[in-house]
Amino acid sequence: RFSDAQLVRLEASLSEAESMISHAQVQAFAGERCLGREWFESPAFRRSPIYQAQRLFGLAERDYGYYWEMTDQIIAAAKLPFPDRVSEYKRLEKAQGAIPRWYIFSRLIAPSASKTLFKFVSETANLRAARTAVAIERYALAHEGKLPDTLAELAPTWQPAPLADPYTGGPLQFTKLSKGYLIFSLGYKNENAGGQKARYLGFGVER
């Protein structure tokens, strides 16, 4: 078992990792936009049939402008707090599904909202579940192994305030089991209509 001091250090590392993810997301999309620019301006692409056909109909620069505007919006969204970031990602996901078919460049290399944007949110959800589990273990150490009944009991001694589910803005889910507990986020898929199966994010701790 970890000591309380070890758990405090683990929480600090997990919190730092969460901060790094947000920064890395902005950097990743900025870097991807630079690669898109390099490709669009490369002699090889300018000689390609795609570019020549677009240029003939006056679409090449419009396509590139659309791509630049779209990546601007993605980078701006990555700087928003949760859950506003998720709401903006959903809007961008819908917009990407409506990219004009003649904007071939944008359709080919635009970052996928469903595969890329939400991956960062999922990682944040998993880290927050892990940080909450650390707080629960600290609580249990101070209460002879007893678990809290709710996450609200962790504040303010073991956690300044319950960590929010980045997808919903509400609390993370906490379920006690006969031998341990579960900490999880509801995840994006759980919000979709049509009876789709929920894709929970988080993990269980066996004690």
Side-chain angles (χ1 to χ4, degrees), residues 44-85:
F45 180 70
R46 296 286 173 115
R47 290 193 300 268
S48 69
I50 291 175
Y51 178 82
Q52 293 299 324
Q54 284 191 312
R55 186 182 178 197
L56 180 64
F57 292 98
L59 295 172
E61 294 300 327
R62 288 165 59 187
D63 185 0
Y64 181 59
Y66 186 94
Y67 167 78
W68 199 259
E69 181 181 351
M70 181 170 54
T71 51
D72 259 349
Q73 293 179 33
I74 289 172
I75 292 170
K79 298 177 181 179
L80 293 173
F82 293 113
D84 295 342
R85 190 185 309 184

Side-chain angles (χ1 to χ4, degrees), residues 18 115 138 165:
E18 183 179 329
K115 293 181 180 179
R138 292 187 65 208
D165 183 336

Side-chain angles (χ1 to χ4, degrees), residues 10-109:
L10 179 56
E11 152 62 22
S13 296
L14 292 170
S15 179
E16 183 180 4
E18 183 179 329
S19 298
M20 290 174 64
I21 283 180
S22 291
H23 179 70
Q25 184 174 16
V26 174
Q27 295 298 104
F29 292 134
E32 190 161 340
R33 182 168 69 168
C34 289
L35 290 175
R37 178 177 181 176
E38 183 178 349
W39 183 26
F40 184 81
E41 296 179 352
S42 69
F45 180 70
R46 296 286 173 115
R47 290 193 300 268
S48 69
I50 291 175
Y51 178 82
Q52 293 299 324
Q54 284 191 312
R55 186 182 178 197
L56 180 64
F57 292 98
L59 295 172
E61 294 300 327
R62 288 165 59 187
D63 185 0
Y64 181 59
Y66 186 94
Y67 167 78
W68 199 259
E69 181 181 351
M70 181 170 54
T71 51
D72 259 349
Q73 293 179 33
I74 289 172
I75 292 170
K79 298 177 181 179
L80 293 173
F82 293 113
D84 295 342
R85 190 185 309 184
V86 174
S87 298
E88 183 64 4
Y89 284 173
K90 290 177 183 178
R91 186 191 69 78
L92 290 168
E93 183 179 44
K94 185 176 181 180
Q96 285 188 354
I99 296 176
R101 63 179 181 275
W102 50 85
Y103 286 176
I104 301 171
F105 178 80
S106 296
R107 293 175 69 88
L108 281 174
I109 70 170

Side-chain angles (χ1 to χ4, degrees), residues 12 22 67 83 96 123 131 137 179 188:
S22 291
Y67 167 78
Q96 285 188 354
E123 291 303 319
R131 292 174 62 192
E137 291 302 312
K179 294 184 178 180
Y188 175 43

Side-chain angles (χ1 to χ4, degrees), residues 110-131:
S112 169
S114 58
K115 293 181 180 179
T116 306
L117 302 181
F118 289 106
K119 180 176 177 59
F120 286 96
V121 187
S122 296
E123 291 303 319
T124 298
N126 285 326
L127 281 169
R128 290 188 177 184
R131 292 174 62 192

